[in-house]
Amino acid sequence: MSRSCRRHISSTILSLRISGEARWKIDMVDYQFERGSRYMVRIAPGQIISISDVSEDFDAYVMLMSNDFLESLMMHMGNDLSFRGALTEVVKIVENNETHNIEMMIRVMTNIINDKDNPYRRKVLEHGLMAIFYGSEHARAPIIEEKKPRTS
C-alpha cells in the first residue's frame, strides 16, 4: 500500500520500527526500513520527514518529546551524559539485546503517561529517561571515547 505524508517536525521524535516496511525521507535523505531488522529513528526539531510506501503490517513505537521537555532533561543531566551524543544518528539498526530494553522503556513510559492521577508524571518521565540513558551503553559510548587516555 502506498500512502504518503510530509511534515515539518517541531518536537524530537524517537521511533522504533517493529514490523513491516516503509520508506522514509528525512531532510532529503532516503531510508528504506526492511523486514528482519529493527530501526531506531531520531527526528529533531526542524527536520522534514516524508513517509511513503508503507506496508499494511507496518508498526512502530513513537515517542514525541517537546523542546521544553528536552531542555529540562538536558538541564538535569548537565555534562554527566551526552544525551545529544547518544542521539546523533538519524537511523540506527537496533541490536536484539537493545530491543528488549527499549520496549521495556516504552511500556514503563506508557504506564506513567496513562496515570492521570499522578501530578508528578512529567518528573517521573524525566527521571525515568535519565536512568535509562545513564544505564545505556550506547549513550555512554561518546563519553567513554572522549575519556580514553591519549597515546603518543
Side-chain angles (χ1 to χ4, degrees), residues 79-132:
N79 292 325
D80 291 344
L81 184 65
S82 177
F83 181 76
R84 293 180 208 263
L87 301 173
T88 55
E89 300 171 75
V90 174
V91 175
K92 175 187 181 297
I93 293 180
V94 178
E95 303 298 327
N96 286 338
N97 59 340
E98 292 177 293
T99 300
H100 174 73
N101 293 338
I102 293 168
E103 288 176 341
M104 182 180 66
M105 172 189 81
I106 291 167
R107 282 193 300 276
V108 168
M109 299 289 184
T110 301
N111 289 339
I112 293 167
I113 290 168
N114 289 333
D115 185 4
K116 305 286 188 220
D117 295 330
N118 185 349
Y120 305 105
R121 287 183 300 174
R122 179 182 169 132
K123 289 293 179 193
V124 174
L125 284 171
E126 286 174 355
H127 290 282
L129 278 172
M130 284 188 281
I132 289 162

Side-chain angles (χ1 to χ4, degrees), residues 25-31 42 44-50 90:
K25 185 178 279 193
I26 303 169
D27 287 343
M28 305 305 289
V29 176
D30 283 316
Y31 298 94
R42 188 263 313 139
Q47 289 188 297
I48 298 171
I49 180 172
S50 172
V90 174

Side-chain angles (χ1 to χ4, degrees), residues 4-58:
S4 181
C5 68
R6 288 191 180 102
R7 296 287 182 258
H8 179 269
I9 305 301
S10 60
S11 299
T12 295
I13 298 174
L14 293 178
S15 176
L16 175 67
R17 188 204 60 87
I18 314 174
S19 64
E21 297 178 333
R23 181 178 7 207
W24 293 27
K25 185 178 279 193
I26 303 169
D27 287 343
M28 305 305 289
V29 176
D30 283 316
Y31 298 94
Q32 182 68 39
F33 300 110
E34 300 171 347
R35 296 179 198 285
S37 294
R38 296 224 173 169
Y39 300 89
M40 176 66 80
V41 180
R42 188 263 313 139
I43 302 167
Q47 289 188 297
I48 298 171
I49 180 172
S50 172
I51 303 172
S52 62
D53 302 328
V54 179
S55 68
E56 287 289 331
D57 63 337
F58 182 83

